Structures are given as structure tokens and as C-alpha cells.
Amino acid sequence: MVNGEKPSSQFIAHVTSYPAVSDSLDAIEKNPYGKKGIELANGGYNKMVAPAVPYAQRPYSYIKPYVQKADELADGGLKKVDNTFPIVKEDSQKIKSTILDLAFMPLRMANQGKDYVLSTYGNEYKKCGGNGYVAGGKAVITTSLVVTSDSLAWLADYLNQKKEQAKEVAKEKKDATKEHASN
């Protein structure tokens, strides 16, 4: 920060490059209360901090390497976040819709399950004759059998897929072990 040098931070540049953060900052700047808050903060900085900056140059020169290393580490942490959670680099609306989809997924799944059971019951009720308590009782029993059968078929398919994946992984590991042993 000597001779008009602007402080720069890889971490702050990286954080503000995220669309959600950038959009949030834009919204704050456009909001009259946010704009007033920024003006007050800038005024406080210009009146209180800016005059003291020249006096802090020497002490800052001692801690500057540590500050730069902390900035590099923080930026490295954000790069790991980018790799682990690539959605943070997506558009704000996509992030919002993804979060809402995940939040309401249990409700959607419950409704789909309810619709499935009720439609299965309706079909079984029609097959059993359709009127009275006996037909309703038969429909309940056959519905439970159909739902159980479908659930077990789904589970068998799922387990077969996992079994095939496990076989592929085991084969890859076996081949890698043979290749490593031959080297």
C-alpha cells in the first residue's frame, strides 16, 4: 500500500467471482438502505482509517508476508470448494432452483408414493368387483401384495446394479494389482 498501491486479495476476488455473491452485492448496492450503509462505511473509513494508513506502513511491512500467505491459503480453500461443490460457480437462479428442488423432494416423493398406492388400490378395487366391504378388503390385501412385489422388484434391480458395479471395481482392482505386481 505504498505510493497509491491498491491492496489486492486473491480470496476476495475469488469470493466475489461467485455469481451468488456478485448478485447479492449488486442487490445491496441497488437497495437504498444498502447504499446508505455503504456510504456510511466509506465515510467512516475516509475520516478515521485513511488518515492513519501512512502510520501503519512500517508495522504492515512486517506482517505483509503472513497476510499474503493467509490470503493464498484462503484462496486455495475456495479452489477446493469449487472442485467439491461445482454448483457455487453456477448462476444464482440455478442454485436457488436446485436448493428448492432438493428441499421439496421429500414432499414430491411422498405425493408420488401416495398417488401410486391410491391408483393401485383403485385398480385392485375394480378387479375385485368394486362394491362393498368385502371387495374393499380384498383390494387392500391385493394392493399390499402388489406394492410389496413392486418394491421387491425395484430393490432387486437396485442390488443387481450395485452388484455389477462392485464386480467392475473388483476387476479393475485385480487388474491394477496384476499390473503393479508385473512392474
Side-chain angles (χ1 to χ4, degrees):
M1 296 192 325
V2 180
N3 297 329
E5 179 183 328
K6 293 271 186 185
S8 63
S9 169
Q10 296 171 352
F11 174 78
I12 291 176
H14 196 140
V15 165
T16 56
S17 73
Y18 293 143
V21 174
S22 177
D23 291 348
S24 298
L25 292 174
D26 289 344
I28 290 170
E29 290 173 355
K30 291 177 183 174
N31 184 299
Y33 297 113
K35 189 180 284 189
K36 186 66 173 174
I38 292 170
E39 289 172 4
L40 290 173
N42 283 338
Y45 174 82
N46 289 334
K47 287 185 179 184
M48 296 180 188
V49 178
V53 168
Y55 301 107
Q57 292 301 322
R58 187 166 182 193
Y60 180 71
S61 67
Y62 295 120
I63 64 167
K64 185 177 180 178
Y66 301 107
V67 171
Q68 288 176 335
K69 184 64 175 177
D71 185 48
E72 289 174 18
L73 291 172
D75 187 50
L78 284 179
K79 288 178 183 174
K80 287 184 181 179
V81 168
D82 291 346
N83 292 334
T84 306
F85 306 105
I87 193 166
V88 296
K89 296 183 275 186
E90 296 290 338
D91 183 53
S92 300
Q93 290 300 325
K94 182 173 182 184
I95 293 172
K96 181 180 175 183
S97 67
T98 302
I99 289 171
L100 288 174
D101 285 346
L102 290 173
F104 289 114
M105 185 176 66
L107 292 174
R108 278 195 317 275
M109 297 295 287
N111 279 334
Q112 288 173 355
K114 177 192 74 158
D115 293 343
Y116 166 72
V117 170
L118 289 177
S119 68
T120 303
Y121 175 78
N123 292 339
E124 294 302 319
Y125 190 73
K126 288 176 187 173
K127 289 179 187 176
C128 292
N131 285 335
Y133 295 114
V134 174
K138 286 181 183 178
V140 166
I141 293 170
T142 57
T143 298
S144 65
L145 293 173
V146 169
V147 169
T148 302
S149 172
D150 290 347
S151 298
L152 291 174
W154 174 83
L155 181 62
D157 288 343
Y158 178 78
L159 291 176
N160 280 333
Q161 289 174 357
K162 293 299 176 184
K163 180 180 174 184
E164 293 302 320
Q165 288 174 357
K167 283 182 181 178
E168 289 175 17
V169 169
K171 185 176 185 275
E172 289 173 6
K173 297 282 184 185
K174 184 178 176 182
D175 293 344
T177 305
K178 284 182 182 178
E179 185 177 309
H180 182 69
S182 66
N183 289 336

